[in-house]
Structures are given as C-alpha cells and as structure tokens.
Amino acid sequence: MIKSLGNIIFKAVQRAKPILTNGKTLVKTKEKFSLKNPYILEALPEKYLSELTIFEGKKLSTVCRVLDSPNSSKILNRYKTFVSKASKGFSAQEITQLINKANLRGKNPLNSNLDAMVYLNELDGKIAQHFDAHGLAKVSFPEQLVQLNKLLTKGIDKTKTFCTAPLDIPNELKRGAGAALGTGGGCAYRDGSFILVSGKGKRLINEGIEHVIVNDVYYGIIDDLKAKFPHINFIKAENAAKYFNKM
C-alpha cells in the first residue's frame, strides 16, 4: 500500500462536496466508501482497485483509518479472510434456481464455454504469469457451479492437493511448460465455466481467491454471483484479457 492512501481517498471525497461559506468542505460522519465515486476512482492507482472492493459500502472514516495504518497490508489480508469465511454462499435450492436461470439444458456442451478459449489468447503473458489460477473444468456444468459456491464459501482446503498454474505465460516459455504443470500450454484450464484467480503476485492456496473469470455458460448469473460474494471480482471471459492486461 502507498503511504497515506486513506488520506488521499478522503481528500478525493472532499473534492466532490460543495464548499461552505467558511471555505471548508463537509464530509458527513456516515459517509460511505464506494468505488463508484468518480473522484475516488480518479485518485486511486489502478492496481489498488481490486484490493479495495471489499470495503465497498463501509464507513469512509474507518476505511481511511485502516489504509493509513502502518499495518494496513496485514489488516487488509485478515479482513479478506474474515469476509471470505463469513460468506454463507448459495443454498442447494438457490443453486438449482441459478442453473435454471442459466438455461443449461438449452446449451450444447460442444458449443459452450468457448469465450475463455478465444478471448484469453489476448492476455499479455508477461502480466498474466503473475496471477495464480485454477480452472474448474473437469466436471459437469452444474457441478462446476456447486464447486465454485463451496470454494467461495469455505475457502480452499489446504489439507488436499489443489493444483494451480499461471493464468498465462509468455509465448517463449510455453514449450514444455504444459507437461511440467499438468495443464495445456502451461496455463490454467480455460474450457470450464469458471477460472479462479489470485491477486497479482499471490498464491490461491495462501491468500485465497480474488477474481473469478466467468465463461459464457454462466454469463446470465454474474449479477447474482456479485451480490452473493461482493468481495470477489467476477469478470466475463470476453472482457478478461482487457481487465488483467491493465494490471
């Protein structure tokens, strides 16, 4: 975290407020932090946007105080873990409703989940290699949603083998990398409904899931996923290359 990030955010919010007759601006005590505020977006370095989504809707003064703390990185990681563990996830009935909403019966498995296979070819391997990833691809479409719900609710079970690979790697490194990592082309599987992705420079097994790339089969339930797991960044596969290349 950069020094005085909280102060930078607070001053950005102040700029959005009208100037009083005494020349000062008034920020309400109950003011909320929101990345929808264009002044905050403008003030924040882009690399921090995904990190700070977990504070969406929280009290601004508290968020700023935490970010200006000398131990801000440790506090942020602890809070992420707390938010993740606190997630209740979807019930079995809600999972069934989501599967019906996605209309899986109307989708041909041979002609589905192709967006990640196509659009992720535009990833910059020099950037994508810094993201740890795991593709949910070896079970049926409905079971992939069940697995995603379990992982986002309970976290990754560190007592069991959990294979990961870079989201992508530079082309010059791909020869032989697939065999070494047990994946095609040396990167995480792309033919499933979801790709779990860590924060930049982090590991899924250690710091947990920060981003989920959603393939075309489940585009229709992305808003439902965002509402249930607001601390996770859900990205359509067709937009994923642009999203990660910016980092």
Side-chain angles (χ1 to χ4, degrees):
M1 287 292 174
I2 62 175
K3 189 176 181 180
S4 302
L5 182 58
N7 187 48
I8 292 171
I9 291 172
F10 192 82
K11 287 183 176 179
V13 173
Q14 279 186 315
R15 288 199 296 272
K17 304 298 180 182
I19 300 175
L20 304 177
T21 54
N22 60 5
K24 297 182 179 180
T25 54
L26 178 63
V27 178
K28 295 180 180 179
T29 305
K30 295 183 179 180
E31 186 82 27
K32 303 294 185 182
F33 171 83
S34 177
L35 289 174
K36 296 176 183 178
N37 184 324
Y39 291 88
I40 292 180
L41 282 175
E42 183 181 1
L44 282 175
E46 196 167 290
K47 64 180 179 179
Y48 293 126
L49 296 182
S50 62
E51 289 270 330
L52 300 181
T53 53
I54 60 171
F55 291 130
E56 185 71 28
K58 302 302 180 185
K59 192 174 179 181
L60 178 68
S61 59
T62 302
V63 173
C64 293
R65 187 169 64 252
V66 167
L67 294 177
D68 281 347
S69 166
N71 299 315
S72 59
S73 295
K74 290 183 179 179
I75 295 172
L76 193 59
N77 286 332
R78 287 175 183 171
Y79 186 64
K80 283 180 183 177
T81 302
F82 169 77
V83 171
S84 179
K85 289 182 177 179
S87 299
K88 293 183 179 180
F90 296 106
S91 66
Q93 183 179 358
E94 288 173 327
I95 289 288
T96 300
Q97 291 171 345
L98 290 175
I99 289 171
N100 291 335
K101 185 176 181 179
N103 191 27
L104 298 188
R105 292 181 180 178
K107 292 180 171 63
N108 183 345
L110 298 178
N111 193 33
S112 300
N113 277 348
L114 300 180
D115 277 12
M117 300 291 288
V118 174
Y119 292 104
L120 264 61
N121 288 321
E122 299 173 9
L123 281 168
D124 183 339
K126 292 182 179 179
I127 297 174
Q129 68 180 335
H130 297 291
F131 291 88
D132 195 30
H134 175 89
L136 297 179
K138 294 186 177 181
V139 292
S140 66
F141 292 162
E143 183 59 27
Q144 287 165 13
L145 180 59
V146 172
Q147 285 191 4
L148 176 71
N149 185 56
K150 182 179 179 180
L151 286 165
L152 294 183
T153 304
K154 298 183 178 181
I156 298 168
D157 186 349
K158 295 184 179 182
T159 65
K160 297 181 180 179
T161 301
F162 189 81
C163 299
T164 65
L167 182 58
D168 202 359
I169 57 176
N171 290 331
E172 62 268 22
L173 299 179
K174 288 186 177 179
R175 184 173 296 177
L181 292 168
T183 63
C187 57
Y189 289 114
R190 300 178 175 180
D191 56 340
S193 300
F194 308 101
I195 303 175
L196 315 178
V197 187
S198 71
K200 190 174 182 180
K202 299 178 182 179
R203 296 296 306 276
L204 285 172
I205 197 69
N206 294 329
E207 286 87 13
I209 303 161
E210 288 194 20
H211 317 275
V212 174
I213 298 173
V214 182
N215 220 345
D216 54 82
V217 159
Y218 281 113
Y219 278 177
I221 68 163
I222 287 182
D223 287 343
D224 300 275
L225 292 170
K226 288 180 177 178
K228 181 63 71 172
F229 304 104
H231 59 292
I232 301 293
N233 303 305
F234 293 94
I235 313 106
K236 281 187 176 182
E238 63 184 18
N239 300 326
K242 182 178 180 181
Y243 177 85
F244 286 99
N245 285 345
K246 282 185 176 181
M247 300 185 188

